[in-house]
Amino acid sequence: VQLQASGGGLVQAGGSLRLSCVVSGRTFTRYPIGWFRQAPGKEREFIAAHNWGSSTHYADSVKGRFTISKDNAKNSVYLQMNSLKPEDTAVYYCAASGSLVFPPTEYAYWGQGTQVTVSS
């Protein structure tokens, strides 16, 4: 399974960004996809997950501001981020779990990150 994240950039506080994660490889097995972020000097943080169906799971810290969605035809999972804050600045990663358990407890496949910088 390969994952390609994109869509990061520089945005002012209060702005929005949409990140995309294209999944390829063994896509006949639709493992749940999660979004994570890691800020400098901090541990990696879970943000949201989608099971390619109707189930989603969010970290409390982003509920109401971030929305995860998917497009099965494009093998893509998106993270819409609204009302961005400087503390949202981080490298954002998408990952696929290695099982169909939802929400996932671990992730087996990781994409490269995309930088999101929110200026104040």
Side-chain angles (χ1 to χ4, degrees):
V1 177
Q2 293 82 45
L3 302 101
Q4 180 77 35
S6 63
L10 174 64
V11 63
Q12 290 188 332
S16 298
L17 279 176
R18 189 177 84 149
L19 306 183
S20 299
C21 177
V22 179
V23 185
S24 61
R26 295 180 57 187
T27 54
F28 61 88
T29 301
R30 291 201 179 273
Y31 297 129
I33 302 297
W35 282 99
F36 294 78
R37 66 185 178 188
Q38 188 165 22
K42 295 188 177 181
E43 294 187 353
R44 186 170 59 202
E45 175 188 15
F46 168 78
I47 299 172
H50 205 301
N51 74 339
W52 294 102
S54 60
S55 296
T56 58
H57 180 61
Y58 291 93
D60 289 342
S61 60
V62 302
K63 282 181 180 178
R65 294 194 302 127
F66 291 8
T67 303
I68 191 169
S69 62
K70 49 82 180 180
D71 185 331
N72 288 38
K74 294 183 179 180
N75 291 335
S76 295
V77 176
Y78 307 100
L79 185 69
Q80 177 68 43
M81 306 186 294
N82 298 329
S83 303
L84 283 163
K85 307 173 183 179
E87 51 264 43
D88 294 317
T89 295
V91 178
Y92 285 69
Y93 300 88
C94 57
S97 76
S99 76
L100 298 179
V101 172
F102 193 83
T105 56
E106 58 184 1
Y107 289 80
Y109 310 96
W110 292 83
Q112 93 297 347
T114 185
Q115 176 71 47
V116 171
T117 303
V118 184
S119 63
S120 57

